[in-house]
Each structure stands twice: as C-alpha cells, then as structure tokens.
Amino acid sequence: MNGTDLWTLAVIVGLAVVTVVARSFFFISSKSWQLPHWAQRGLQYAPIAALSAVVVPEIITLQGDLIGTWQDARLFAALAGVAAYFWRRDVLVTIVVGMAVYLPLRLGLGW
C-alpha cells in the first residue's frame, strides 16, 4: 500500500468498528428502554443550540475576532431577521427580510 502502513490501517478499522458499535448500540439491545425525562427534555433544545452555535459566531466575529464596529451588515440583517421571525413566525420570511437588509448594506454601502 502506497504511503499507508499497517498501524494506520488498523487504527482506521478500529475507529470504524467503535463508531458502528456505538451508533448501533440501541438496536443491538434486546430489551426496550426509554430515555429519562430530563434527557428527553434536554434533547428538545438540541436543534436550537446547534443552530446558535453555528450562526452566532458568524454574526459577531470577523476572522476569529469580535467585530469592532457597529457598521456591519450582518448585525443589522440578524436584527431584522429576528424581528421578522417574531412578527410572522415564518423561516422563509426571516431569510428574505434578513437578506433584503444585508445585501443593500453590504453591496451598496460596503459594510
């Protein structure tokens, strides 16, 4: 094998086996079980937490540093998007309003 030694191949296969076993653990078990109530409640917040973890840093940072000015199109677009969401409760309206604010500020004013 060009460039791949036996140790690297063994690690890759071992990680694949661990991944398959960990992901299929719930299917392998013969008895039925349910998550505790606190875990079920916590999982309800997982999607919004994941979305926030991706979106918020993109809005408030620029190349890893906090933005230093209020003249950033992303801030105004995010505020307009949040307002549109609370007004209509529609994701498509949120995206359209956010982009309608972002594009003129970014392209027109160069923010």
Side-chain angles (χ1 to χ4, degrees), residues 2-20:
N2 295 336
T4 304
D5 60 353
L6 190 57
W7 176 252
T8 304
L9 187 60
V11 169
I12 291 171
V13 169
L15 288 172
V17 168
V18 168
T19 301
V20 168

mmCIF file with all atom_site columns, all heavy atoms in Angstrom, residues 2-20:
data_model
loop_
_atom_site.group_PDB
_atom_site.id
_atom_site.type_symbol
_atom_site.label_atom_id
_atom_site.label_alt_id
_atom_site.label_comp_id
_atom_site.label_asym_id
_atom_site.label_entity_id
_atom_site.label_seq_id
_atom_site.pdbx_PDB_ins_code
_atom_site.Cartn_x
_atom_site.Cartn_y
_atom_site.Cartn_z
_atom_site.occupancy
_atom_site.B_iso_or_equiv
_atom_site.pdbx_formal_charge
_atom_site.auth_seq_id
_atom_site.auth_comp_id
_atom_site.auth_asym_id
_atom_site.auth_atom_id
_atom_site.pdbx_PDB_model_num
ATOM 1   N N   . ASN A 1 2  ? 0.658   2.113  -0.922 1.00 0.00 ? 2  ASN A N   1
ATOM 2   C CA  . ASN A 1 2  ? 1.477   3.298  -1.064 1.00 0.00 ? 2  ASN A CA  1
ATOM 3   C C   . ASN A 1 2  ? 1.188   4.300  0.038  1.00 0.00 ? 2  ASN A C   1
ATOM 4   O O   . ASN A 1 2  ? 0.115   4.882  0.097  1.00 0.00 ? 2  ASN A O   1
ATOM 5   C CB  . ASN A 1 2  ? 1.229   3.963  -2.422 1.00 0.00 ? 2  ASN A CB  1
ATOM 6   C CG  . ASN A 1 2  ? 1.664   3.078  -3.569 1.00 0.00 ? 2  ASN A CG  1
ATOM 7   O OD1 . ASN A 1 2  ? 2.508   2.213  -3.390 1.00 0.00 ? 2  ASN A OD1 1
ATOM 8   N ND2 . ASN A 1 2  ? 1.080   3.288  -4.723 1.00 0.00 ? 2  ASN A ND2 1
ATOM 9   N N   . GLY A 1 3  ? 2.135   4.531  0.928  1.00 0.00 ? 3  GLY A N   1
ATOM 10  C CA  . GLY A 1 3  ? 2.023   5.572  1.933  1.00 0.00 ? 3  GLY A CA  1
ATOM 11  C C   . GLY A 1 3  ? 1.195   5.220  3.155  1.00 0.00 ? 3  GLY A C   1
ATOM 12  O O   . GLY A 1 3  ? 1.097   6.025  4.058  1.00 0.00 ? 3  GLY A O   1
ATOM 13  N N   . THR A 1 4  ? 0.580   4.058  3.208  1.00 0.00 ? 4  THR A N   1
ATOM 14  C CA  . THR A 1 4  ? -0.229  3.677  4.357  1.00 0.00 ? 4  THR A CA  1
ATOM 15  C C   . THR A 1 4  ? 0.377   2.444  4.994  1.00 0.00 ? 4  THR A C   1
ATOM 16  O O   . THR A 1 4  ? 0.461   1.392  4.367  1.00 0.00 ? 4  THR A O   1
ATOM 17  C CB  . THR A 1 4  ? -1.686  3.378  3.927  1.00 0.00 ? 4  THR A CB  1
ATOM 18  O OG1 . THR A 1 4  ? -2.194  4.509  3.247  1.00 0.00 ? 4  THR A OG1 1
ATOM 19  C CG2 . THR A 1 4  ? -2.545  3.073  5.127  1.00 0.00 ? 4  THR A CG2 1
ATOM 20  N N   . ASP A 1 5  ? 0.806   2.583  6.221  1.00 0.00 ? 5  ASP A N   1
ATOM 21  C CA  . ASP A 1 5  ? 1.394   1.431  6.898  1.00 0.00 ? 5  ASP A CA  1
ATOM 22  C C   . ASP A 1 5  ? 0.308   0.627  7.608  1.00 0.00 ? 5  ASP A C   1
ATOM 23  O O   . ASP A 1 5  ? -0.857  1.013  7.666  1.00 0.00 ? 5  ASP A O   1
ATOM 24  C CB  . ASP A 1 5  ? 2.487   1.858  7.867  1.00 0.00 ? 5  ASP A CB  1
ATOM 25  C CG  . ASP A 1 5  ? 1.984   2.790  8.945  1.00 0.00 ? 5  ASP A CG  1
ATOM 26  O OD1 . ASP A 1 5  ? 0.819   3.204  8.873  1.00 0.00 ? 5  ASP A OD1 1
ATOM 27  O OD2 . ASP A 1 5  ? 2.767   3.103  9.859  1.00 0.00 ? 5  ASP A OD2 1
ATOM 28  N N   . LEU A 1 6  ? 0.691   -0.484 8.162  1.00 0.00 ? 6  LEU A N   1
ATOM 29  C CA  . LEU A 1 6  ? -0.258  -1.390 8.802  1.00 0.00 ? 6  LEU A CA  1
ATOM 30  C C   . LEU A 1 6  ? -0.886  -0.766 10.045 1.00 0.00 ? 6  LEU A C   1
ATOM 31  O O   . LEU A 1 6  ? -2.079  -0.967 10.311 1.00 0.00 ? 6  LEU A O   1
ATOM 32  C CB  . LEU A 1 6  ? 0.456   -2.699 9.166  1.00 0.00 ? 6  LEU A CB  1
ATOM 33  C CG  . LEU A 1 6  ? -0.431  -3.845 9.615  1.00 0.00 ? 6  LEU A CG  1
ATOM 34  C CD1 . LEU A 1 6  ? -1.451  -4.166 8.548  1.00 0.00 ? 6  LEU A CD1 1
ATOM 35  C CD2 . LEU A 1 6  ? 0.406   -5.065 9.941  1.00 0.00 ? 6  LEU A CD2 1
ATOM 36  N N   . TRP A 1 7  ? -0.127  0.021  10.803 1.00 0.00 ? 7  TRP A N   1
ATOM 37  C CA  . TRP A 1 7  ? -0.666  0.656  12.014 1.00 0.00 ? 7  TRP A CA  1
ATOM 38  C C   . TRP A 1 7  ? -1.781  1.640  11.672 1.00 0.00 ? 7  TRP A C   1
ATOM 39  O O   . TRP A 1 7  ? -2.814  1.668  12.318 1.00 0.00 ? 7  TRP A O   1
ATOM 40  C CB  . TRP A 1 7  ? 0.460   1.348  12.767 1.00 0.00 ? 7  TRP A CB  1
ATOM 41  C CG  . TRP A 1 7  ? -0.018  2.103  13.973 1.00 0.00 ? 7  TRP A CG  1
ATOM 42  C CD1 . TRP A 1 7  ? -0.089  3.439  14.128 1.00 0.00 ? 7  TRP A CD1 1
ATOM 43  C CD2 . TRP A 1 7  ? -0.550  1.542  15.164 1.00 0.00 ? 7  TRP A CD2 1
ATOM 44  N NE1 . TRP A 1 7  ? -0.610  3.769  15.345 1.00 0.00 ? 7  TRP A NE1 1
ATOM 45  C CE2 . TRP A 1 7  ? -0.902  2.601  16.012 1.00 0.00 ? 7  TRP A CE2 1
ATOM 46  C CE3 . TRP A 1 7  ? -0.760  0.237  15.622 1.00 0.00 ? 7  TRP A CE3 1
ATOM 47  C CZ2 . TRP A 1 7  ? -1.450  2.424  17.276 1.00 0.00 ? 7  TRP A CZ2 1
ATOM 48  C CZ3 . TRP A 1 7  ? -1.317  0.062  16.878 1.00 0.00 ? 7  TRP A CZ3 1
ATOM 49  C CH2 . TRP A 1 7  ? -1.645  1.144  17.697 1.00 0.00 ? 7  TRP A CH2 1
ATOM 50  N N   . THR A 1 8  ? -1.596  2.454  10.637 1.00 0.00 ? 8  THR A N   1
ATOM 51  C CA  . THR A 1 8  ? -2.614  3.412  10.221 1.00 0.00 ? 8  THR A CA  1
ATOM 52  C C   . THR A 1 8  ? -3.884  2.694  9.786  1.00 0.00 ? 8  THR A C   1
ATOM 53  O O   . THR A 1 8  ? -4.998  3.096  10.141 1.00 0.00 ? 8  THR A O   1
ATOM 54  C CB  . THR A 1 8  ? -2.087  4.294  9.078  1.00 0.00 ? 8  THR A CB  1
ATOM 55  O OG1 . THR A 1 8  ? -0.891  4.931  9.497  1.00 0.00 ? 8  THR A OG1 1
ATOM 56  C CG2 . THR A 1 8  ? -3.106  5.332  8.664  1.00 0.00 ? 8  THR A CG2 1
ATOM 57  N N   . LEU A 1 9  ? -3.729  1.622  9.034  1.00 0.00 ? 9  LEU A N   1
ATOM 58  C CA  . LEU A 1 9  ? -4.875  0.846  8.590  1.00 0.00 ? 9  LEU A CA  1
ATOM 59  C C   . LEU A 1 9  ? -5.617  0.226  9.776  1.00 0.00 ? 9  LEU A C   1
ATOM 60  O O   . LEU A 1 9  ? -6.851  0.239  9.822  1.00 0.00 ? 9  LEU A O   1
ATOM 61  C CB  . LEU A 1 9  ? -4.430  -0.241 7.614  1.00 0.00 ? 9  LEU A CB  1
ATOM 62  C CG  . LEU A 1 9  ? -5.535  -1.031 6.932  1.00 0.00 ? 9  LEU A CG  1
ATOM 63  C CD1 . LEU A 1 9  ? -6.420  -0.103 6.123  1.00 0.00 ? 9  LEU A CD1 1
ATOM 64  C CD2 . LEU A 1 9  ? -4.936  -2.109 6.067  1.00 0.00 ? 9  LEU A CD2 1
ATOM 65  N N   . ALA A 1 10 ? -4.883  -0.279 10.757 1.00 0.00 ? 10 ALA A N   1
ATOM 66  C CA  . ALA A 1 10 ? -5.506  -0.868 11.953 1.00 0.00 ? 10 ALA A CA  1
ATOM 67  C C   . ALA A 1 10 ? -6.271  0.188  12.746 1.00 0.00 ? 10 ALA A C   1
ATOM 68  O O   . ALA A 1 10 ? -7.362  -0.077 13.260 1.00 0.00 ? 10 ALA A O   1
ATOM 69  C CB  . ALA A 1 10 ? -4.441  -1.526 12.821 1.00 0.00 ? 10 ALA A CB  1
ATOM 70  N N   . VAL A 1 11 ? -5.730  1.393  12.857 1.00 0.00 ? 11 VAL A N   1
ATOM 71  C CA  . VAL A 1 11 ? -6.416  2.472  13.572 1.00 0.00 ? 11 VAL A CA  1
ATOM 72  C C   . VAL A 1 11 ? -7.701  2.848  12.848 1.00 0.00 ? 11 VAL A C   1
ATOM 73  O O   . VAL A 1 11 ? -8.747  3.038  13.480 1.00 0.00 ? 11 VAL A O   1
ATOM 74  C CB  . VAL A 1 11 ? -5.481  3.695  13.735 1.00 0.00 ? 11 VAL A CB  1
ATOM 75  C CG1 . VAL A 1 11 ? -6.253  4.910  14.215 1.00 0.00 ? 11 VAL A CG1 1
ATOM 76  C CG2 . VAL A 1 11 ? -4.353  3.363  14.686 1.00 0.00 ? 11 VAL A CG2 1
ATOM 77  N N   . ILE A 1 12 ? -7.668  2.942  11.537 1.00 0.00 ? 12 ILE A N   1
ATOM 78  C CA  . ILE A 1 12 ? -8.863  3.287  10.760 1.00 0.00 ? 12 ILE A CA  1
ATOM 79  C C   . ILE A 1 12 ? -9.937  2.222  10.932 1.00 0.00 ? 12 ILE A C   1
ATOM 80  O O   . ILE A 1 12 ? -11.109 2.536  11.184 1.00 0.00 ? 12 ILE A O   1
ATOM 81  C CB  . ILE A 1 12 ? -8.510  3.484  9.274  1.00 0.00 ? 12 ILE A CB  1
ATOM 82  C CG1 . ILE A 1 12 ? -7.660  4.743  9.101  1.00 0.00 ? 12 ILE A CG1 1
ATOM 83  C CG2 . ILE A 1 12 ? -9.770  3.561  8.418  1.00 0.00 ? 12 ILE A CG2 1
ATOM 84  C CD1 . ILE A 1 12 ? -7.082  4.917  7.715  1.00 0.00 ? 12 ILE A CD1 1
ATOM 85  N N   . VAL A 1 13 ? -9.569  0.968  10.839 1.00 0.00 ? 13 VAL A N   1
ATOM 86  C CA  . VAL A 1 13 ? -10.537 -0.116 11.014 1.00 0.00 ? 13 VAL A CA  1
ATOM 87  C C   . VAL A 1 13 ? -11.069 -0.123 12.445 1.00 0.00 ? 13 VAL A C   1
ATOM 88  O O   . VAL A 1 13 ? -12.276 -0.292 12.674 1.00 0.00 ? 13 VAL A O   1
ATOM 89  C CB  . VAL A 1 13 ? -9.905  -1.475 10.638 1.00 0.00 ? 13 VAL A CB  1
ATOM 90  C CG1 . VAL A 1 13 ? -10.790 -2.627 11.057 1.00 0.00 ? 13 VAL A CG1 1
ATOM 91  C CG2 . VAL A 1 13 ? -9.613  -1.527 9.156  1.00 0.00 ? 13 VAL A CG2 1
ATOM 92  N N   . GLY A 1 14 ? -10.210 0.083  13.432 1.00 0.00 ? 14 GLY A N   1
ATOM 93  C CA  . GLY A 1 14 ? -10.642 0.115  14.825 1.00 0.00 ? 14 GLY A CA  1
ATOM 94  C C   . GLY A 1 14 ? -11.616 1.242  15.091 1.00 0.00 ? 14 GLY A C   1
ATOM 95  O O   . GLY A 1 14 ? -12.633 1.049  15.769 1.00 0.00 ? 14 GLY A O   1
ATOM 96  N N   . LEU A 1 15 ? -11.339 2.418  14.563 1.00 0.00 ? 15 LEU A N   1
ATOM 97  C CA  . LEU A 1 15 ? -12.258 3.545  14.733 1.00 0.00 ? 15 LEU A CA  1
ATOM 98  C C   . LEU A 1 15 ? -13.594 3.289  14.040 1.00 0.00 ? 15 LEU A C   1
ATOM 99  O O   . LEU A 1 15 ? -14.650 3.677  14.544 1.00 0.00 ? 15 LEU A O   1
ATOM 100 C CB  . LEU A 1 15 ? -11.625 4.831  14.211 1.00 0.00 ? 15 LEU A CB  1
ATOM 101 C CG  . LEU A 1 15 ? -10.495 5.402  15.071 1.00 0.00 ? 15 LEU A CG  1
ATOM 102 C CD1 . LEU A 1 15 ? -9.809  6.554  14.352 1.00 0.00 ? 15 LEU A CD1 1
ATOM 103 C CD2 . LEU A 1 15 ? -11.027 5.848  16.409 1.00 0.00 ? 15 LEU A CD2 1
ATOM 104 N N   . ALA A 1 16 ? -13.557 2.645  12.891 1.00 0.00 ? 16 ALA A N   1
ATOM 105 C CA  . ALA A 1 16 ? -14.802 2.309  12.192 1.00 0.00 ? 16 ALA A CA  1
ATOM 106 C C   . ALA A 1 16 ? -15.631 1.330  13.018 1.00 0.00 ? 16 ALA A C   1
ATOM 107 O O   . ALA A 1 16 ? -16.853 1.492  13.144 1.00 0.00 ? 16 ALA A O   1
ATOM 108 C CB  . ALA A 1 16 ? -14.494 1.725  10.815 1.00 0.00 ? 16 ALA A CB  1
ATOM 109 N N   . VAL A 1 17 ? -14.991 0.327  13.618 1.00 0.00 ? 17 VAL A N   1
ATOM 110 C CA  . VAL A 1 17 ? -15.708 -0.648 14.443 1.00 0.00 ? 17 VAL A CA  1
ATOM 111 C C   . VAL A 1 17 ? -16.317 0.034  15.665 1.00 0.00 ? 17 VAL A C   1
ATOM 112 O O   . VAL A 1 17 ? -17.485 -0.196 16.009 1.00 0.00 ? 17 VAL A O   1
ATOM 113 C CB  . VAL A 1 17 ? -14.774 -1.807 14.856 1.00 0.00 ? 17 VAL A CB  1
ATOM 114 C CG1 . VAL A 1 17 ? -15.401 -2.664 15.940 1.00 0.00 ? 17 VAL A CG1 1
ATOM 115 C CG2 . VAL A 1 17 ? -14.410 -2.652 13.654 1.00 0.00 ? 17 VAL A CG2 1
ATOM 116 N N   . VAL A 1 18 ? -15.542 0.893  16.335 1.00 0.00 ? 18 VAL A N   1
ATOM 117 C CA  . VAL A 1 18 ? -16.064 1.601  17.507 1.00 0.00 ? 18 VAL A CA  1
ATOM 118 C C   . VAL A 1 18 ? -17.251 2.481  17.124 1.00 0.00 ? 18 VAL A C   1
ATOM 119 O O   . VAL A 1 18 ? -18.254 2.545  17.840 1.00 0.00 ? 18 VAL A O   1
ATOM 120 C CB  . VAL A 1 18 ? -14.941 2.434  18.171 1.00 0.00 ? 18 VAL A CB  1
ATOM 121 C CG1 . VAL A 1 18 ? -15.503 3.406  19.194 1.00 0.00 ? 18 VAL A CG1 1
ATOM 122 C CG2 . VAL A 1 18 ? -13.922 1.519  18.810 1.00 0.00 ? 18 VAL A CG2 1
ATOM 123 N N   . THR A 1 19 ? -17.177 3.155  15.997 1.00 0.00 ? 19 THR A N   1
ATOM 124 C CA  . THR A 1 19 ? -18.265 4.008  15.542 1.00 0.00 ? 19 THR A CA  1
ATOM 125 C C   . THR A 1 19 ? -19.529 3.203  15.256 1.00 0.00 ? 19 THR A C   1
ATOM 126 O O   . THR A 1 19 ? -20.625 3.578  15.675 1.00 0.00 ? 19 THR A O   1
ATOM 127 C CB  . THR A 1 19 ? -17.843 4.785  14.280 1.00 0.00 ? 19 THR A CB  1
ATOM 128 O OG1 . THR A 1 19 ? -16.698 5.568  14.588 1.00 0.00 ? 19 THR A OG1 1
ATOM 129 C CG2 . THR A 1 19 ? -18.956 5.674  13.782 1.00 0.00 ? 19 THR A CG2 1
ATOM 130 N N   . VAL A 1 20 ? -19.378 2.087  14.554 1.00 0.00 ? 20 VAL A N   1
ATOM 131 C CA  . VAL A 1 20 ? -20.540 1.259  14.222 1.00 0.00 ? 20 VAL A CA  1
ATOM 132 C C   . VAL A 1 20 ? -21.173 0.695  15.490 1.00 0.00 ? 20 VAL A C   1
ATOM 133 O O   . VAL A 1 20 ? -22.397 0.709  15.649 1.00 0.00 ? 20 VAL A O   1
ATOM 134 C CB  . VAL A 1 20 ? -20.137 0.134  13.250 1.00 0.00 ? 20 VAL A CB  1
ATOM 135 C CG1 . VAL A 1 20 ? -21.248 -0.907 13.125 1.00 0.00 ? 20 VAL A CG1 1
ATOM 136 C CG2 . VAL A 1 20 ? -19.806 0.705  11.885 1.00 0.00 ? 20 VAL A CG2 1
#
